[in-house]
Amino acid sequence: MKVCIDAGHGGKDSGAVGAKVTEKWIALDVANRVATKLQNSGIEVVMTRDSDYFVELADRATISNNTGADIFVSIHCNSASESATGTEVWNYPGAAEDKRLAQSILDKLIVRTGFRNRGVKEENFAVLRLTKCPAALVELGFISNLQEEQTMMGFDYQDQASTAIVEGIKEFAGIREVEPLQELETVNDIVWELANIGIITDKDLWLKKLQEDSNSYWLARKCVNYIRGKQ
Ligand code: ZN
């Protein structure tokens, strides 16, 4: 799978202007983190820009289309009145798959950043219209709001937001996160797991048996870890 990550604006186009930072920098910081995290998960990444230079909107879509990207995600910050807050993700009007991608990314962002949920919205944005694959445009938060600007400038926020976007992309693509299983070692854990799986019912009896007989303990431990690994 290949994902095209589009950091909004760049170069002569600063995007929205906050009190301390401009949109193009937050978009780039988060986009670079998303790219690294996707690559660390073995997913191929194309970036429309990876530093501070200007790229036309149509060229961003062309980069995505020509490299055969399967998913396109554009990253921006919002701007309105000083009191406006929250995250919204946009998709192309009427595109069901785009909407599913947008919703998946938005859900993860809200959980990880705690920003206000402004919902999924539809707009005929050039990068959404011209890209051939499912595409979504993320408005992380409002750079015009002093508090959100401050938060979005922070490494903690950028780390959480980028992780959330990666999670949203993976969920959309049906890539399941598999947590590595911790090996069960203690007799108590093994007996509980055997009971959970439904192999034994009398926990006390088995607790005693495994404590007294090291061969049975090792055998049971092997079985349980094997079954857990297969689930
Ligand atoms: Zn923007």
Side-chain angles (χ1 to χ4, degrees), residues 179-229:
E179 287 284 324
L181 284 171
Q182 230 183 337
E183 277 232 334
L184 291 183
E185 285 180 3
T186 70
V187 172
N188 210 23
D189 286 344
I190 290 165
V191 169
W192 271 96
E193 190 74 6
L194 284 172
N196 275 343
I197 301 167
I199 290 175
I200 62 163
T201 47
D202 190 340
K203 290 205 279 274
D204 288 340
L205 177 81
W206 280 94
L207 206 55
K208 202 158 167 273
K209 214 179 172 86
L210 297 190
Q211 275 163 345
E212 282 168 1
D213 177 9
S214 68
N215 280 339
S216 301
Y217 161 75
W218 283 106
L219 187 62
R221 181 181 156 175
K222 242 184 173 164
C223 283
V224 168
N225 285 319
Y226 177 78
I227 291 164
R228 278 161 55 96

Side-chain angles (χ1 to χ4, degrees), residues 1-6 34-35 38-39 41-48 61-73 101 131-135 169-170 172-173 175:
M1 189 176 76
K2 194 184 282 178
V3 178
C4 184
I5 298 297
D6 177 46
V34 171
L38 285 170
Q39 283 161 346
S41 314
I43 295 169
E44 221 182 316
V45 176
V46 183
M47 296 192 80
T48 56
T62 303
I63 290 168
S64 175
N65 294 340
N66 285 355
T67 54
D70 302 294
I71 292 171
F72 177 93
V73 178
L101 173 65
T131 42
K132 288 177 184 157
C133 60
I169 289 168
K170 284 183 177 175
F172 169 80
I175 299 170

Side-chain angles (χ1 to χ4, degrees), residues 8-9 13-16 23-24 27 74-79 137-139:
H9 312 278
D13 172 15
S14 68
E23 179 186 355
K24 67 176 183 178
S74 189
I75 298 170
H76 291 254
C77 301
N78 228 330
S79 181
L137 186 146
V138 180
E139 293 281 7

Side-chain angles (χ1 to χ4, degrees), residues 56-155:
E56 294 284 355
L57 291 177
D59 292 340
R60 295 168 189 257
T62 303
I63 290 168
S64 175
N65 294 340
N66 285 355
T67 54
D70 302 294
I71 292 171
F72 177 93
V73 178
S74 189
I75 298 170
H76 291 254
C77 301
N78 228 330
S79 181
S81 71
E82 275 179 37
S83 60
T85 59
T87 305
E88 56 198 26
V89 183
W90 298 78
N91 63 269
Y92 188 70
E97 278 295 88
D98 296 36
K99 189 173 182 178
R100 196 167 68 80
L101 173 65
Q103 189 69 58
S104 177
I105 292 172
L106 179 66
D107 290 347
K108 303 291 183 188
L109 276 168
I110 298 305
V111 169
R112 285 209 173 256
T113 67
F115 274 31
R116 194 162 74 85
N117 188 342
R118 297 173 65 92
V120 162
K121 299 176 177 183
E122 296 192 335
E123 185 57 74
N124 185 5
F125 288 129
V127 289
L128 300 181
R129 181 180 65 250
L130 299 172
T131 42
K132 288 177 184 157
C133 60
L137 186 146
V138 180
E139 293 281 7
L140 292 166
F142 283 80
I143 206 168
S144 48
N145 178 280
L146 281 177
Q147 205 185 334
E148 287 202 349
E149 180 192 28
Q150 190 69 38
T151 303
M152 288 190 293
M153 284 167 63
F155 291 165

